[in-house]
Amino acid sequence: MCGILALIHANATDTSAASELHEALYLLQHRGQDACGIATCASGGKIYQCKGNGMAAKVFRDDGSRVSDLPGYMGIGHLRYPTAGTSANAEAQPFYVNSPYGICFAHNGNLINAPALKNYLDLVAHRHINTESDSELMLNIFASELNETGKARVNEKDIFAALGRLYRRCVGGWACTAMLAGFGVIGFRDAYGIRPLILGSRPSDNGPGMDYMMASESVALDQRGYTNLVDILPGQAVIIPKGGKPVWEQVHAQLNYAPDIFEYVYFARPDTVIDGISVQESRERMGYKLADTISKQLSPEELADIDVVIPIPETSNTSASCVAERLKKPYCQGFVKNRYVFRTFIMPGQKAREKSVRRKLNPMKIKFENQNVLLVDDSIVRGTTSREIVNMAHEAGAKKVYFASCAPRITNAHIYGIDLASPSELIAFERNEASIAAHIGAVKVIFQSLDDLKAACAELSPRGPDQQFEVGVFCGKYVTPVEADYFEHLERIRGETKKLKVMESARVAVANGVAGEREIQMVANGAEVQRDGSIVPAKRGEAELNGDGHEKGLNGDLKSMANGSSNGGSVIKRARTSSLNHSSPPREQMDISLHNFADFHDGRGS
């Protein structure tokens, strides 16, 4: 799940596209804090680009001074949320290819047939893929299909035809924006309508004509003064040529209209409207329906036991107030949120997530002391946040803690661009409500039913109460076809990313003399990813023994060091040398595109 933007000003001599895209990035920053970037096109078709790991304030500097490096009248922007792949600089977007025609590309979503596409690009299209990002795959599929025209210059018909062929090759959920050098901007959405994309317009303030902007959420358009907002439909594409008006085409038959319901539960801002459904109003209805479920699942004595309803800020604020209203209970803000710490379930390790919860939230004791509280959150993913929050409530003086989730139990992988967790890491995986409550330390846990969640959103849909949604994370039934071996592939990808973190942790443990057998084996022999995505020490054959019965070589030295041996310096040096000899992907990696963040590293940007 990422944030994407596209913009084209009516006046082709205008040079302020990057400034406006930069402002819009901040409005969508909640959709991705891992990386961001902007690419613009100026007169003569020259493309300028700035991108890198980090939030907008880091990549473009706090004062936005990097924006002046990006002249142009049109451009696209991207905010990256880390999916199952890596988080290298090379995967910051927009991506760029010079052939054909100079294409910049921003993608929100996930392809579930990525291995087959990579094979096709290699063996048939002969296009090199430089990263593990399926966004780069999609760009190159588009470029390959567009190249089939064999023309020096393309028109809208050529582009729509290329997109139609792209849809026949790619499987998954996506919303994309693209820019062709000197030609215009493009937006398109998957045939199931899983990922959102919205177009708005406004009169140009620099001459005649209209400016146009596309964004993942309506709030970015509203705040920039764009009106006449239109949702790009499933399977639909729009091209806005230089100096022209939008040209629409249904490039693929609509196979469903099923927005990802997690947009309404968690990701989108409350002041956003997606596919005609107000996020704020959908969360209100989630709250009322959750209150009805709470009334059914708790006994009259337990309901009477609850003194106050407290939200876990901020996504659940709206729903929690509606729960309190329906249950006729007091509502109060019991946690103060540090707004400068971001979402914890996307953080790279369990311990890091646990620490971040306490950095992010602070309970006000006066609201918890001697109270039986009902905490309301938008969802429960790994349970890390929930367990820490319950602990914090008890530490602040709460007598009993009940916990309610606006979303149903999450039991399956998300495969369309939101890397929640591996199924085995999900707290609801093979656990019932009672064991979940025991795990997080609550008296009881109450989940929204899937039917009620869907109804909370569908009742607001302009398409009527039969509106469909992508809800595979809750029930395992996905709206697109999914190959049987895809989930194994997904676990392997997660495992490769996790391996880097596990190896680094093992090296630190050895260096500090606190390593166990597992860490020692990993540093000595490397690590490998199992079929289920788990990380285990690599097998290097049976250990050789010295005459005294101890292991020879680095393994034996590391064990001695872990047990208090004094020759730590030389052992660590050998351990580092050994680990370098076991090839693994670099933790930081720059691509070969123009104007990357690290190209301008002068101490001010990080």
Side-chain angles (χ1 to χ4, degrees):
M1 202 261 336
C2 302
I4 60 173
L5 297 158
L7 169 71
I8 185 165
H9 286 156
N11 187 341
T13 64
D14 191 289
T15 60
S16 63
S19 177
E20 188 164 2
L21 288 167
H22 179 240
E23 292 289 334
L25 287 178
Y26 287 96
L27 296 168
L28 298 182
Q29 185 74 82
H30 59 284
R31 297 187 68 86
Q33 297 96 43
D34 191 58
C36 66
I38 292 173
T40 61
C41 183
S43 58
K46 189 170 183 179
I47 292 173
Y48 298 83
Q49 181 170 280
C50 174
K51 63 178 183 174
N53 278 359
M55 293 186 286
K58 176 184 178 183
V59 175
F60 296 96
R61 301 197 179 114
D62 291 332
D63 59 359
S65 59
R66 291 298 309 282
V67 173
S68 61
D69 297 332
L70 305 170
Y73 62 95
M74 66 176 174
I76 61 174
H78 187 269
L79 292 148
R80 185 178 189 274
Y81 165 88
T83 54
T86 67
S87 299
N89 265 304
E91 296 193 4
Q93 297 184 43
F95 281 119
Y96 166 78
V97 292
N98 66 343
S99 177
Y101 314 117
I103 308 170
C104 290
F105 195 85
H107 168 250
N108 171 27
N110 196 50
L111 298 176
I112 60 177
N113 65 333
L117 293 175
K118 193 167 188 177
N119 189 61
Y120 165 79
L121 289 168
D122 180 22
L123 301 179
V124 180
H126 309 306
R127 299 187 72 92
H128 174 68
I129 302 301
N130 199 53
T131 73
E132 298 303 315
S133 170
D134 55 6
S135 305
E136 189 188 8
L137 287 177
M138 200 166 194
L139 165 59
N140 277 274
I141 292 289
F142 178 46
S144 177
E145 297 298 344
L146 200 55
N147 197 50
E148 292 298 310
T149 63
K151 296 165 64 174
R153 296 289 183 271
V154 289
N155 55 33
E156 289 90 346
K157 184 178 179 181
D158 297 324
I159 296 170
F160 286 137
L163 286 173
R165 295 191 294 273
L166 175 147
Y167 275 68
R168 291 193 289 274
R169 291 196 185 279
C170 298
V171 181
W174 63 77
C176 303
T177 55
M179 177 175 67
L180 263 64
F183 182 88
V185 295
I186 307 163
F188 56 97
R189 190 178 182 190
D190 69 82
Y192 299 86
I194 299 170
R195 301 259 66 89
L197 189 59
I198 305 160
L199 172 70
S201 61
R202 72 176 182 202
S204 172
D205 58 3
N206 192 18
M210 302 291 287
D211 298 335
Y212 296 94
M213 189 177 197
M214 287 179 273
S216 298
E217 295 186 28
S218 63
V219 63
L221 305 174
D222 292 335
Q223 289 289 303
R224 300 305 305 163
Y226 289 85
T227 58
N228 302 315
L229 305 190
V230 180
D231 290 292
I232 295 173
L233 299 176
Q236 192 177 57
V238 59
I239 300 170
I240 309 168
K242 175 182 175 180
K245 297 180 180 179
V247 181
W248 298 84
E249 181 79 10
Q250 191 72 33
V251 295
H252 192 285
Q254 183 173 308
L255 300 178
N256 205 326
Y257 202 146
D260 187 345
I261 208 162
F262 234 86
E263 293 280 358
Y264 303 98
V265 171
Y266 182 78
F267 275 106
R269 279 179 46 153
D271 47 351
T272 278
V273 176
I274 296 175
D275 291 309
I277 300 171
S278 163
V279 174
Q280 171 73 9
E281 291 185 21
S282 70
R283 290 176 184 168
E284 290 174 358
R285 294 187 181 227
M286 289 176 206
Y288 291 129
K289 292 180 185 298
L290 179 59
D292 293 340
T293 299
I294 292 169
S295 296
K296 294 173 185 176
Q297 292 193 11
L298 297 186
S299 67
E301 293 77 19
E302 288 171 322
L303 283 171
D305 200 32
I306 295 171
D307 296 313
V308 64
V309 177
I310 296 177
I312 310 304
E314 294 178 333
T315 317
S316 64
N317 288 358
T318 299
S319 298
S321 66
C322 295
V323 168
E325 178 187 335
R326 182 64 60 93
L327 295 180
K328 295 181 172 57
K329 297 288 183 180
Y331 167 84
C332 77
Q333 294 279 348
F335 291 96
V336 177
K337 182 177 181 180
N338 179 351
R339 298 176 185 274
Y340 303 99
V341 177
F342 284 84
R343 290 166 168 170
T344 57
F345 78 80
I346 64 174
M347 296 189 73
Q350 186 81 350
K351 292 296 182 183
R353 285 188 290 270
E354 290 172 0
K355 290 180 180 178
S356 183
V357 172
R358 290 183 178 265
R359 287 198 299 268
K360 185 174 74 169
L361 297 175
N362 186 50
M364 292 184 282
K365 289 187 177 181
I366 193 172
K367 302 296 184 181
F368 287 92
E369 282 182 328
N370 299 315
Q371 298 288 295
N372 297 321
V373 300
L374 171 61
L375 301 181
V376 178
D377 206 351
D378 49 71
S379 58
I380 305 176
V381 184
R382 292 181 176 92
T384 305
T385 301
S386 305
R387 185 172 61 244
E388 283 298 307
I389 286 171
V390 172
N391 287 339
M392 291 160 63
H394 283 302
E395 290 167 7
K399 294 189 296 184
K400 295 180 183 178
V401 178
Y402 298 85
F403 205 102
S405 167
C406 296
R409 294 164 66 245
I410 299 172
T411 54
N412 296 273
H414 194 290
I415 63 173
Y416 302 114
I418 305 175
D419 186 30
L420 295 178
S422 298
S424 60
E425 296 173 326
L426 298 169
I427 193 173
F429 183 73
E430 297 183 346
R431 280 193 180 103
N432 59 23
E433 281 82 351
S435 61
I436 293 171
H439 182 79
I440 68 172
V443 176
K444 278 195 174 180
V445 171
I446 304 96
F447 288 94
Q448 184 93 266
S449 75
L450 182 54
D451 286 343
D452 281 348
L453 176 61
K454 291 192 288 187
C457 300
E459 289 167 1
L460 298 166
S461 172
R463 289 162 295 283
D466 293 329
Q467 169 74 58
Q468 299 297 303
F469 296 95
E470 161 48 38
V471 293
V473 290
F474 305 116
C475 61
K477 297 178 181 178
Y478 301 95
V479 299
T480 68
V482 184
E483 295 292 332
D485 62 350
Y486 175 72
F487 295 100
E488 186 177 305
H489 164 74
L490 190 62
E491 290 308 304
R492 284 198 302 271
I493 293 175
R494 286 196 180 106
E496 290 295 339
T497 304
K498 184 179 178 182
K499 183 171 77 171
L500 298 177
K501 299 164 186 170
V502 170
M503 285 294 295
E504 181 63 24
S505 177
R507 293 186 191 103
V508 171
V510 169
N512 292 320
V514 295
E517 177 73 20
R518 185 169 177 270
E519 288 89 352
I520 291 170
Q521 291 291 336
M522 285 185 176
V523 173
N525 299 329
E528 58 187 26
V529 182
Q530 301 288 81
R531 291 171 66 88
D532 64 356
S534 61
I535 313 301
V536 298
K539 294 179 180 178
R540 295 273 168 177
E542 295 299 321
E544 297 181 44
L545 301 180
N546 291 313
D548 60 1
H550 293 93
E551 280 188 50
K552 289 182 180 180
L554 183 58
N555 263 350
D557 287 343
L558 287 170
K559 288 182 178 179
S560 296
M561 181 184 168
N563 291 324
S565 173
S566 60
N567 63 336
S570 62
V571 174
I572 292 303
K573 185 175 181 180
R574 291 175 62 195
R576 287 172 178 162
T577 302
S578 174
S579 64
L580 287 172
N581 289 333
H582 302 306
S583 60
S584 61
R587 287 180 297 165
E588 289 298 331
Q589 177 185 351
M590 288 303 303
D591 70 5
I592 55 172
S593 293
L594 47 159
H595 286 204
N596 287 304
F597 174 63
D599 296 340
F600 296 86
H601 184 70
D602 61 2
R604 290 186 291 164
S606 60

